[in-house]
Structure formats: structure tokens, C-alpha cells
Amino acid sequence: MSIPTSHPGGQDLTLSCDYSYTLPESDQLVLTWYHNGSPIPIYQWVPALDMGPQVIHQLFKDNLDLTYEASDDKFKKHSALRIINPDQRFSGNYKCRVSTFLEEVSEDKDVFIYVPPASIALTITEGVISCQVEAVYPQPQVILAWTVNSTVYTSNEMELTANPLNSKLFDASVAATIEEADIAAQDMMTCEVMIDGTDYDKRVEKSILVKSEFSAEPDQIVQLFDELCNSADCVLTEKVAVDDNNPVDYEAVEKQIEVGTGLETLSEEAATFVESSVSQPSINTLLVLLISALIMKGSL
């Protein structure tokens, strides 16, 4: 009998039952499936009747695919048990029994249905790293690991609670406090979730350091200089209108500034800025301020 030892909940499960028969036995075959030693069969199929399998066990009434065909052989076509959307209730021992008038054979195997976590969240908030695991069955193992200046630390001190939406499932969390000042750029945090008795092993990994709040600074600098250059390249001055009925015309004013322009021609604030900025490398900023000051003075 081909049956997986563990299977994730929510994914259809097929339990196969293989057997051989002779031609005289073919019209005598009776196939029956049992669950957890119950005398009430899950499922029974008599190939010779040509009427399809019958579901008997109440637990499986809404979770069996009776149209599933395991083989092209008409005497094996419905030998497999196809369970739709199984959950942890369907864990247990399954037995397939095939009988004729003269002989009976059976085989059984344990199947474990686990429910993988609905979500795994790895976060850091105000120096606390945390791994939150939601809606899992059975109780998982959760290991939180992190590095501080490349030194590895771990914690498996897990807090376990019932899931608020389904009390048969578990929520689990592990948290630890770190000194953010000691964290280096290469330091990482990881959360590993495992379920005993299964091959489920999920690992989430992130950098501890979030992106710097100054990561957008280059764009801001570019935008700032663009605005200054635009205002210097083309400054609009208003011509005095003859009367209120005439539209106001604007013209572009271009000023040429000599490097030796005297500080006395500037406003007191501009002159102070120039005196304090002559050693600065940003000649563009200086020229913009000089242009702006002259235009303001000329418009008075």
C-alpha cells in the first residue's frame, strides 16, 4: 500500500491500495477501507456491481472524491482513497482490505496530517526582534537566530497560544531584545520553523538594519539644485500695466555677474553669506544667490 507517512493539510491526499487477482476471482472482489480500527468502513467498492464506490463513514462523507480513478483496469479503477482538503482529523491508521469468497488480504499504515503555518513574520521593532507563527498544527519548533557584529545568538523560548480563529491550531512566537547600537551592516536575523514527524522546515531571513532614513538624500539634493537653477535661469519680472484692463506681460531677465562684484551691492544677509562661503566648493549656490540679490535690488 502506497501511503505517505506525513502530509500537509489542505492538499488532496491519495492513498493507494494495490493487489492482484485471477480472472475467476474478478467478479468476487470486495475492496474496503478502514480508519483508526473502526469497524465501520470508510469506503466500500464491489467492482462486479459496476455501481461505483460507497462512502459509509460519516467523517469522510464530504471529503472523498468518488470520481477519482487509480487505474485503467476496471477491477482496480476505484481502489484508491482520494481525500479532499484533509485536516488534522484525518490523521491516523488506514487499512485497505481486499477479499474474495476464498481469500482476504489487508495492509495498514499510519498517516499524519499536519497544518503548515498560515504565516511566518520576522520583524524588528525598537530593539526587539520577533518571529510570529500563525495557525499551525501540531505544536511547531521555532528557532530565532541573529548576529551581533557577526557573533551568532539563538533563542527557542517559545510562547504558545491557541489560534483565535481556530482553537485546534496553534500560534507561536519567539522574541529577543538586542542592542541596536552594536549591530553591523552585515548582521542578519533568521526564523526557522519545523514540525516534528514531518519534512516541513521553513526558514525566513532578513537583514537586521533597515534602510537608512537618509537613503533618499541624493534625490533630495538633486531636486533642490534643480529648483535653484530653474529660478536663476529664468526669473520673471512684471512690467507695470498701464491700466487694469491691460494684461500683465512678463519677460525673462538675464544678468551677468562678474566674479569681483562688490559686497556692498548685496543685501546684508547675502553679503554675510558670501563672506562665509568663499571657501565652499559649491560655486553654483554662490552664483544663484548673487543673481537673486541683484534681481531683487533691480526690481525695487
Side-chain angles (χ1 to χ4, degrees):
M1 182 164 53
S2 175
I3 299 176
T5 55
S6 65
H7 186 81
Q11 298 183 21
D12 294 353
L13 171 64
T14 302
L15 308 180
S16 300
C17 181
D18 194 20
Y19 52 90
S20 61
Y21 61 91
T22 64
L23 186 59
E25 294 175 322
S26 60
D27 61 349
Q28 304 172 17
L29 291 170
V30 177
L31 181 139
T32 311
W33 280 95
Y34 296 89
H35 182 234
N36 284 341
S38 172
I40 301 173
I42 300 171
Y43 175 105
Q44 189 172 67
W45 177 49
V46 181
L49 295 181
D50 199 26
M51 59 180 294
Q54 305 297 309
V55 182
I56 301 172
H57 200 296
Q58 189 64 35
L59 174 64
F60 294 84
K61 285 284 187 182
D62 299 321
N63 291 82
L64 290 184
D65 181 2
L66 301 182
T67 65
Y68 180 77
E69 297 183 1
S71 173
D72 293 332
D73 184 337
K74 65 175 295 186
F75 296 104
K76 292 185 176 183
K77 183 168 61 173
H78 294 298
S79 60
L81 197 64
R82 177 79 166 178
I83 304 175
I84 305 301
N85 193 30
D87 57 30
Q88 62 269 33
R89 296 175 302 160
F90 294 89
S91 293
N93 181 265
Y94 285 84
K95 182 173 76 171
C96 172
R97 186 185 72 180
V98 180
S99 60
T100 66
F101 295 159
L102 300 176
E103 186 179 7
E104 177 181 304
V105 293
S106 65
E107 186 177 357
D108 69 284
K109 192 171 185 180
D110 291 330
V111 179
F112 177 64
I113 306 294
Y114 66 93
V115 180
S119 66
I120 301 174
L122 181 60
T123 60
I124 177 168
T125 305
E126 297 180 351
V128 177
I129 58 175
S130 174
C131 181
Q132 304 283 338
V133 180
E134 294 186 348
V136 59
Y137 178 87
Q139 175 180 329
Q141 290 188 53
V142 181
I143 300 175
L144 181 65
W146 67 98
T147 60
V148 176
N149 201 17
S150 300
T151 300
V152 179
Y153 298 87
T154 64
S155 175
N156 59 358
E157 296 181 5
M158 184 174 62
E159 180 179 345
L160 198 67
T161 59
N163 181 267
L165 301 180
N166 185 344
S167 61
K168 295 180 180 180
L169 303 179
F170 297 101
D171 290 348
S173 64
V174 178
T177 302
I178 63 173
E179 292 292 336
E180 291 184 278
D182 297 333
I183 300 300
Q186 71 273 14
D187 285 326
M188 305 292 292
M189 56 182 178
T190 65
C191 179
E192 186 171 14
V193 181
M194 296 169 286
I195 299 177
D196 288 340
T198 76
D199 57 0
Y200 184 86
D201 189 339
K202 180 75 172 180
R203 182 184 180 95
V204 179
E205 184 174 90
K206 290 183 179 180
S207 172
I208 293 180
L209 291 179
V210 296
K211 290 184 178 179
S212 171
E213 62 181 349
F214 300 108
S215 60
E217 185 176 340
D219 293 337
Q220 293 171 350
I221 293 174
V222 171
Q223 182 181 1
L224 175 61
F225 276 97
D226 284 346
E227 291 175 357
L228 290 174
C229 291
N230 288 338
S231 62
D233 289 342
C234 186
V235 179
L236 298 179
T237 59
E238 182 179 339
K239 286 186 177 181
V240 178
V242 176
D243 56 48
D244 293 339
N245 295 324
N246 293 330
V248 176
D249 295 329
Y250 294 91
E251 64 178 4
V253 178
E254 296 182 357
K255 298 289 185 178
Q256 297 293 329
I257 305 297
E258 295 183 2
V259 175
T261 299
L263 296 179
E264 65 276 3
T265 63
L266 306 179
S267 66
E268 181 179 352
E269 292 180 356
T272 302
F273 177 83
V274 172
E275 289 179 328
S276 63
S277 303
V278 292
S279 62
Q280 299 298 320
S282 181
I283 189 66
N284 288 338
T285 304
L286 175 59
L287 290 177
V288 168
L289 288 174
L290 291 174
I291 291 170
S292 300
L294 284 176
I295 292 170
M296 291 175 59
K297 186 173 182 179
S299 63
L300 296 176

